[in-house]
Amino acid sequence: MLSGIAALALVALIVLSVSHALGRTFFGAPIHGANEIAAQWILPIIVLFAIPSAQVWKEHYVVTIATERMGARSLALLKFAGFLSGALLCAGLAWYGLEEALKKTSVSATAGITSLPVWPFYYLVPVGMALCVLVFVMDALLALRHPEDEINTGTGRSINVDPEEEVL
């Protein structure tokens, strides 16, 4: 679901950018506040929903130079510690983001040049980071239960198994 929301926001960003450019070039009438809408509304949705989604699907880069020779138990403990560290970092970012969102709400923050409200979008930081905390905690627990596999947090299945092979 998070990937879908981020994808829709990306499509909205593309449509907005193309419409803005065409309107400015051919009609001399750009979309009012297009840059603020893109930067303050749409981009945070894309980024803050794509991060936990990428962690669920294990789409982040993985460098295995040091870990490929580790035993299953050592690797599980390393993953557990790493995922818990990620959860703590994201929890701190969520807390800070919530404090900032509350400050922006209290002054009804708007975009710099236009009067478009941006304060609601500050709540995307604590929401996105709280989702990351949830995913990291689940991954930490899965790392201990299944040390040999990369488990999709959403389905609980290994990402290393081809779905067609699983049916057979």
Side-chain angles (χ1 to χ4, degrees):
M1 190 166 105
L2 294 174
S3 295
I5 294 170
L8 287 174
L10 184 60
V11 170
L13 180 64
I14 292 167
V15 169
L16 175 67
S17 299
V18 170
S19 301
H20 178 66
L22 292 174
R24 185 182 65 232
T25 303
F26 295 114
F27 304 111
I31 296 173
H32 178 70
N35 293 337
E36 287 80 8
I37 292 169
Q40 302 283 336
W41 292 6
I42 300 175
L43 284 175
I45 293 171
I46 294 169
V47 171
L48 292 166
F49 285 176
I51 292 172
S53 178
Q55 181 60 31
V56 166
W57 293 99
K58 306 298 180 274
E59 294 292 327
H60 292 295
Y61 287 109
V62 177
V63 179
T64 61
I65 293 172
T67 60
E68 64 188 8
R69 297 180 191 262
M70 293 178 79
R73 185 75 180 146
S74 299
L75 185 58
L77 291 174
L78 182 64
K79 284 182 181 180
F80 180 77
F83 290 142
L84 279 185
S85 298
L88 289 173
L89 175 66
C90 289
L93 292 171
W95 183 260
Y96 174 77
L98 180 61
E99 288 178 344
E100 195 64 24
L102 292 172
K103 287 179 193 173
K104 297 298 182 182
T105 302
S106 69
V107 296
S108 298
T110 60
I113 297 172
T114 65
S115 61
L116 294 171
V118 295
W119 64 266
F121 296 92
Y122 277 86
Y123 288 96
L124 290 172
V125 173
V127 168
M129 290 298 107
L131 290 170
C132 282
V133 169
L134 179 65
V135 172
F136 276 129
V137 168
M138 290 172 61
D139 279 342
L141 296 174
L142 287 170
L144 290 178
R145 293 184 80 195
H146 303 279
E148 68 286 342
D149 254 342
E150 288 290 334
I151 304 294
N152 177 314
T153 313
T155 64
R157 295 189 176 133
S158 173
I159 64 168
N160 300 327
V161 177
D162 185 16
E164 292 177 10
E165 290 179 12
E166 198 172 85
V167 174
L168 301 175

